[in-house]
Amino acid sequence: MQSTAHQSALEAKHASIDRRLAEESHRPLPDTALIAELKKQKLRLKDEIVSH
C-alpha cells in the first residue's frame, strides 16, 4: 500500500494537470496537441492513484 504522502502528491499533480487542461481549453486558440498530452498524463496519474 502507498504512503499517504505519495498518494497526496499524486493527487496534487493530477489536480495541477487538470487546471492546466482547463486553462488551455478556454484559450481562444487552444493547442490541441498540448491538450491531448495533458489528458494522457492525467489518465496515467489516475491509473496510478487507483491501482494503489
Side-chain angles (χ1 to χ4, degrees), residues 7-30:
Q7 185 78 15
S8 295
L10 290 174
E11 290 171 358
K13 196 169 184 179
H14 186 270
S16 173
I17 291 172
D18 198 36
R19 283 190 300 274
R20 286 180 59 203
L21 189 54
E23 289 171 4
E24 187 63 32
S25 296
H26 290 98
R27 286 184 36 193
L29 293 172

Side-chain angles (χ1 to χ4, degrees), residues 1-51:
M1 185 166 167
Q2 280 187 345
S3 69
T4 303
H6 184 67
Q7 185 78 15
S8 295
L10 290 174
E11 290 171 358
K13 196 169 184 179
H14 186 270
S16 173
I17 291 172
D18 198 36
R19 283 190 300 274
R20 286 180 59 203
L21 189 54
E23 289 171 4
E24 187 63 32
S25 296
H26 290 98
R27 286 184 36 193
L29 293 172
D31 182 344
T32 54
L34 177 59
I35 289 173
E37 181 57 33
L38 289 171
K39 286 182 178 182
K40 286 178 189 175
Q41 289 176 20
K42 189 176 162 189
L43 185 58
R44 274 188 235 117
L45 277 172
K46 182 171 177 95
D47 287 345
E48 188 173 345
I49 291 167
V50 172
S51 70

